[in-house]
Amino acid sequence: MTDTPLLFSPIKLAGVTFPSRVFVSPMCQYSSVDGFANDWHLVHLGSRAVGGAALITTEAAAVVPEGRISPQDLGIWKEEHVPALRRIVEFLHGQGTRAGVQLAHAGRKASMAAPWNGEKLVGPEDGGWTNVVAPSAIAFAPHYAQPQALDIEGIVRVIDAFRQATRRAMAAGFDVIEIHAAHGYLLNTFLSPLSNHRADEYGGSFEGRSRLLVHVVDAVREEWPLESPLFVRISATDWTEGGWNVADSVRLATVLKGRGVDLIDASSGGVVAGATIPVGPGYQTPFSARIRKEAGIATGAVGMITSPEQAEHILRTGQGDVVSLAREMLRDPYWPLHAAQKLGFAASWLKQYLRAAHRENPARAGLESK
């Protein structure tokens, strides 16, 4: 390619400039004890920074203990979590990578086993908990917890938990916060009429069902500087008749833009067990494209993005402003560097890894074997 690939052109969101549009999506690792980040997280996230990603966002960090998907989830609900997170942020910054944290509450999908132990509920005897909450007392599936419907006092506590987590994210030095309102977790279940059957101010109409997310965004924005980007991950559709749909997502994105949100991370699904989802390469990019066009907000395209050519096409055709990769980054932590080479762009390999960049002609790097 003669022109600079759009994939490797900088983008400015709020007051932060990212050197490229290759972002790493949050990926649960189920490797924490009591919510603490550890060496696994440092190596997992750090290796993707060495690989050249512009933004790396932690897995879902629970804002309260009962907001974890599993007992092994990352947490940010207490001050003691901050130093280990700061260590990771400092390493990412040292590689020229921006650091993000995803603030989350699992809602009715909480207290489940790590996936390699089977999809099953974890009881208190095995480190789980019983105070699982949701907008309405409706279980996600028979083998998930029977949740308690949050009362108003509980909703206020959730909002404050996101506020306090934001303060900890600032103390840890993160550049970006993403609020997790997708995949059937707490904020997503408030949005969907399939999981929110409330009759009070947090249910019923679109305004009622979106009220909790709006209040969380407001609480976060009150603490998070305007020059620091704020993302929200949403499920753009429930993939189910009578559920949340793309038109709702456009409307929500318009509201959130006016509350200081800088980017919508457009995923889908997760509210309905067994929903028919036509998974395939780029199957979610039409959602990010429509939200971007109709709400006038930056969007992140996610889902089954694997090749550099595909990622470049998504950006060139206006389907998103950035691309976020997860599984492909697990397969290849150096995907950004390999993608740059494939698209004819000068990849910025670290000096320690120049041997890999010049495998055909090591002398080009001045690294001949002795």
Side-chain angles (χ1 to χ4, degrees):
M1 298 180 64
T2 55
D3 296 332
T4 299
L6 193 53
L7 192 61
F8 293 99
S9 64
I11 183 171
K12 186 174 183 181
L13 297 168
V16 176
T17 298
F18 300 85
S20 81
R21 296 161 189 251
V22 183
F23 290 4
V24 177
S25 282
M27 293 178 277
C28 290
Q29 297 297 292
Y30 306 100
S31 298
S32 293
V33 176
D34 192 29
F36 283 91
N38 54 46
D39 285 351
W40 175 265
H41 301 92
L42 175 66
V43 173
H44 165 65
L45 298 171
S47 62
R48 274 96 203 148
V50 171
L55 170 68
I56 295 173
T57 303
T58 69
E59 65 190 88
V63 298
V64 290
E66 66 271 20
R68 291 172 290 171
I69 304 165
S70 79
Q72 292 76 41
D73 279 15
L74 190 66
I76 194 168
W77 68 78
K78 56 185 177 181
E79 306 307 316
E80 291 81 358
H81 288 147
V82 171
L85 292 170
R86 186 187 300 119
R87 178 186 178 214
I88 292 170
V89 169
E90 290 172 352
F91 183 85
L92 299 186
H93 285 167
Q95 314 314 307
T97 298
R98 300 293 188 176
V101 60
Q102 187 184 63
L103 304 184
H105 191 305
R108 65 181 185 173
K109 287 186 170 180
S111 198
M112 296 295 288
W116 47 80
N117 292 323
E119 191 178 28
K120 61 184 179 181
L121 188 64
V122 177
E125 67 280 4
D126 294 314
W129 50 94
T130 58
N131 54 332
V132 174
V133 298
S136 303
I138 306 169
F140 173 67
H143 55 293
Y144 278 70
Q146 176 60 45
Q148 309 162 29
L150 273 169
D151 58 19
I152 296 299
E153 290 75 16
I155 287 174
V156 171
R157 287 194 296 270
V158 167
I159 296 168
D160 187 61
F162 276 92
R163 180 188 299 277
Q164 299 304 324
T166 300
R167 293 174 178 171
R168 296 182 193 109
M170 292 177 62
F174 284 103
D175 305 292
V176 173
I177 282 178
E178 177 170 275
I179 297 170
H180 199 348
H183 302 163
Y185 300 125
L186 184 66
L187 299 179
N188 187 196
T189 54
F190 267 84
L191 292 172
S192 175
L194 300 178
S195 48
N196 184 345
H197 293 182
R198 301 175 72 95
D200 65 2
E201 63 190 292
Y202 289 95
S205 66
F206 169 90
E207 289 81 6
R209 288 180 282 111
S210 60
R211 195 179 308 278
L212 176 56
L213 176 55
V214 169
H215 285 177
V216 166
V217 166
D218 287 348
V220 170
R221 254 303 169 217
E222 286 171 7
E223 306 295 333
W224 193 240
L226 283 175
E227 63 270 18
S228 298
L230 177 59
F231 298 176
V232 176
R233 170 164 277 201
I234 65 170
S235 282
T237 176
D238 289 338
W239 296 108
T240 301
E241 186 72 26
W244 184 267
N245 58 43
V246 187
D248 293 324
S249 293
V250 170
R251 187 177 176 186
L252 177 67
T254 303
V255 171
L256 297 182
K257 179 184 177 184
R259 318 297 290 209
V261 171
D262 300 294
L263 180 140
I264 297 295
D265 189 359
S267 190
S268 68
V271 164
V272 177
T276 301
I277 302 176
V279 176
Y283 73 105
Q284 295 178 144
T285 58
F287 307 141
S288 58
R290 182 171 170 184
I291 292 168
R292 182 177 187 264
K293 179 180 179 181
E294 296 184 18
I297 190 170
T299 60
V302 302
M304 300 289 284
I305 300 170
T306 57
S307 76
E309 296 84 355
Q310 178 194 15
E312 180 70 7
H313 175 75
I314 288 168
L315 299 176
R316 291 281 179 187
T317 54
Q319 297 178 70
D321 295 275
V322 303
V323 294
S324 294
L325 287 75
R327 290 177 179 85
E328 197 62 22
M329 286 288 189
L330 291 180
R331 301 181 189 106
D332 180 8
Y334 310 107
W335 189 94
L337 295 173
H338 295 145
Q341 290 178 318
K342 195 166 186 182
L343 295 176
F345 184 68
S348 300
W349 287 83
L350 297 179
K351 58 183 181 292
Q352 296 94 329
Y353 285 7
L354 281 174
R355 291 178 180 85
H358 300 292
R359 72 173 85 186
E360 291 82 9
N361 185 6
R364 290 175 57 193
L367 294 170
E368 298 92 334
S369 298
K370 301 295 185 184

